[in-house]
Amino acid sequence: MINIGIIGLGAIGQRLINGFLQHPSITIVAICDQNAERLLSTKQQLENVQAFQSHKEMLESLDLDLVYVAVPPKYHHAIALDVISKGIHILCEKPLANSIEEARDLYERAHEKGIIHAMNFPLNYSAGSNTFAQLIQDGFVGDVRRVEVKLRFPQWPRPWQQNEWIASREQGGFVLEVGVHYIQQIQRIFGNINVMDVDTQYPDDPTASERGILAHLQLEDGTPLIVDGLSHIAGEEEIRFTAYGTEGTLSLLNWADLEGGKIGSPITMIEPNEELTSSLADHLVAAIEGKEATLIDFKAGYDAQIVLEKLRA
């Protein structure tokens, strides 16, 4: 069995707990959170798990194979360094850190330590995003003319994300929380990104995160990339990742749905290839066992952070 410790028990951390529990080769042996009420509540849902309010105490007390770091972004660097220094394999939430310098330091130290270092970018394991990538590779849209990421949020934070940090300019906002997923996907599918021009709208509160962004970027070959985001608007939430090409258009809509069409034909829904679905837990186990695995490592997290910080600046 692979013994896992989890640091940070917020909404995202809870999601992966369920995935770990369903895996036959994984045992959650320790959880850690400074919020005593949340810690107790999570402990009551699990069996034979030790609970800690200090991650340092957890790392000193137990023999762990992997630690999942799911704390707010500004704490990633310090906590992840403590895990890395112990030589424990690590899974970290996105973004990798809270600055380019911190992200580079984590990547370099994890690489030097020779441990498995992975990011939780779930789009890489979903049928929708993998079908999107496969269709692009197969030439569904032809030569790509433009890539767009459209982000629309009636309110930010969203109703299920009500906490202080996710609304802050320091370590929150929809560009950081949602946009980084698509930065990573674009780098994965299309290659490097250059940031050309960014227009970001902020509220009067100097501590609050952005309410709008319109950014012009370029793929490595010069193809335009547009990031167009707004929050606090009428309507429903919409996240749309679109490639326009010489032969057609293809969109990944709201994380999972696909739609597209050839030039001269209407846009219609496209059924994702469910065979392209996989599990982050499966890949983590395979990597720890020395088998072939698909993991988004800290280098990819660092590359995404470079673009993210230019957009946030």
Side-chain angles (χ1 to χ4, degrees), residues 136-155:
I136 294 294
Q137 182 179 336
D138 292 344
F140 180 88
V141 303
D143 294 331
V144 178
R145 296 173 53 201
R146 178 183 294 180
V147 176
E148 291 183 356
V149 177
K150 179 182 179 183
L151 306 169
R152 295 290 185 270
F153 302 97
Q155 68 177 89

Side-chain angles (χ1 to χ4, degrees), residues 283-303:
H283 288 283
L284 285 169
V285 169
I288 291 171
E289 293 178 345
K291 302 174 184 176
E292 183 177 352
T294 298
L295 294 176
I296 310 306
D297 64 11
F298 279 16
K299 175 59 165 62
Y302 167 58
D303 290 341

Side-chain angles (χ1 to χ4, degrees), residues 148-152 174 212-215 226-230 238:
E148 291 183 356
V149 177
K150 179 182 179 183
L151 306 169
R152 295 290 185 270
F174 61 81
I213 185 170
L214 187 59
I226 305 298
V227 176
D228 175 5
L230 287 170
E238 180 183 6

Side-chain angles (χ1 to χ4, degrees), residues 115-169:
I115 60 173
I116 292 167
H117 45 92
M119 303 284 302
N120 182 26
F121 279 116
L123 281 174
N124 296 277
Y125 309 100
S126 72
S129 59
N130 285 327
T131 304
F132 180 97
Q134 186 68 62
L135 287 171
I136 294 294
Q137 182 179 336
D138 292 344
F140 180 88
V141 303
D143 294 331
V144 178
R145 296 173 53 201
R146 178 183 294 180
V147 176
E148 291 183 356
V149 177
K150 179 182 179 183
L151 306 169
R152 295 290 185 270
F153 302 97
Q155 68 177 89
W156 187 270
R158 293 168 285 187
W160 56 274
Q161 285 181 307
Q162 296 301 307
N163 59 56
E164 293 182 0
W165 67 266
I166 209 165
S168 73
R169 195 173 304 189

Side-chain angles (χ1 to χ4, degrees), residues 253-273:
L253 178 63
N254 296 331
W255 303 98
D257 297 327
L258 280 175
E259 60 180 29
K262 296 292 188 176
I263 292 176
S265 300
I267 297 292
T268 60
M269 299 303 297
I270 298 173
E271 195 68 27
N273 181 358

Side-chain angles (χ1 to χ4, degrees), residues 31-87:
I31 54 175
C32 177
D33 200 293
Q34 291 186 340
N35 184 312
E37 182 179 350
R38 184 186 301 151
L39 185 65
L40 177 60
S41 174
T42 305
K43 186 180 190 310
Q44 291 172 341
Q45 299 171 29
L46 303 172
E47 296 181 2
N48 302 318
V49 66
Q50 296 190 49
F52 300 85
Q53 285 189 279
S54 164
H55 76 276
K56 291 180 181 290
E57 182 182 355
M58 185 187 85
L59 296 175
E60 291 291 343
S61 302
L62 299 173
D63 184 14
L64 299 169
D65 299 303
L66 174 79
V67 169
Y68 170 37
V69 177
V71 297
K74 77 174 183 178
Y75 303 109
H76 284 190
H77 183 254
I79 292 176
L81 280 183
D82 288 338
V83 177
I84 292 167
S85 69
K86 292 287 185 182

Side-chain angles (χ1 to χ4, degrees), residues 235-248:
E236 297 182 355
E237 179 174 318
E238 180 183 6
I239 303 170
R240 184 181 292 271
F241 173 32
T242 303
Y244 298 93
T246 55
E247 297 182 19

